[in-house]
Amino acid sequence: MSNTKVLPLLEPDTESGPESVAPCCPPLTERPFTAEEAELTARMFKALGDPVRLRLFSAVASHAGGEACVCDISDVGVSQPTVSHHLKKLKEAGLLTSERRGTWVYYSVEPSALASMGRLLTSE
Amino acid sequence: MSNTKVLPLLEPDTESGPESVAPCCPPLTERPFTAEEAELTARMFKALGDPVRLRLFSAVASHAGGEACVCDISDVGVSQPTVSHHLKKLKEAGLLTSERRGTWVYYSVEPSALASMGRLLTSE
DNA sequence: CCACTGATTCGACGTGTGTCAACATAGATG
DNA sequence: CATCTATGTTGACACACGTCGAATCAGTGG
């Protein structure tokens, strides 16, 4: 498949890696978004648009060092495979990264993504 | 627990009105969200999680006075009923308000909602 | 009252999404 | 190797969602 269009400021990035969404787009109030900008930015909002994912992200983000083991945050009322599924979505949206250390897998927040989203919503 | 829970700070509000979502919840990084907080906050993110809605919202937000006629922003590549559908979703999420003035309908941004979302994403 | 334009609602259709049980994989440990 | 725990993947299913054309509602003006 031909690569889905990526804005110039974004590095091409690897196939399945985070869709690299962080350093994009001016505040929502600055000018009307183009189709490409909207497509790109909507991914992040959509990723946080599910209650379970929002709780998982918040759990990771509020954990010490912005990092948490799956076992520490998987008590959100859904089955374990579902937790894994949502963490994968958050990773694909570029909001989280994961790293395996021994038996456990640790998820961390991608600081640039958080900053980027914050910038979208601050009119100042 | 009773039925669909509404956080104390939110007024019950009418059936179809904006789900009044603005003054809610600490930054995502402060502490893990509860189920109720996540349910509530996810509505806003979900509303902006569609490229067309994001463009519509951005078009209204960046227009003079944070207000725009439907006819001014409906050029986003989808049919006019679809535009109307998305604007309704944004309204239900508490991000926009609408007002009819003569022949045209004007949509405005709900400033508190924007501020509330910004607060969620600013760490300090 | 009737025609015209702007905007919403309705009904239908195809696709996407959240969920789970079952199975598979990775490391640790016996 | 066998086994146990911690995560991820697969397949299936019900439901939500985005989209459109057609019908409808709301104002304006002839």
Side-chain angles (χ1 to χ4, degrees), chain A residues 42-94:
Chain A
R43 290 183 202 168
M44 291 191 298
F45 284 109
K46 185 187 251 181
L48 294 180
D50 177 88
V52 173
R53 280 197 294 270
L54 204 48
R55 291 187 70 186
L56 289 172
F57 183 82
S58 174
V60 173
S62 62
H63 213 263
E67 167 184 287
C69 168
V70 176
C71 56
D72 288 329
I73 60 175
S74 54
D75 186 22
V76 288
V78 295
S79 71
Q80 185 272 324
T82 302
V83 169
S84 192
H85 166 71
H86 284 305
L87 287 173
K88 185 181 184 181
K89 286 291 196 75
L90 287 167
K91 209 165 101 174
E92 288 172 352

Side-chain angles (χ1 to χ4, degrees), chain B residues 89-108:
Chain B
K89 286 292 196 73
L90 288 167
K91 210 165 97 173
E92 289 172 350
L95 296 174
L96 293 180
T97 60
S98 70
E99 180 193 358
R100 172 159 225 136
R101 289 205 290 273
T103 305
W104 298 281
V105 175
Y106 292 83
Y107 280 80
S108 308

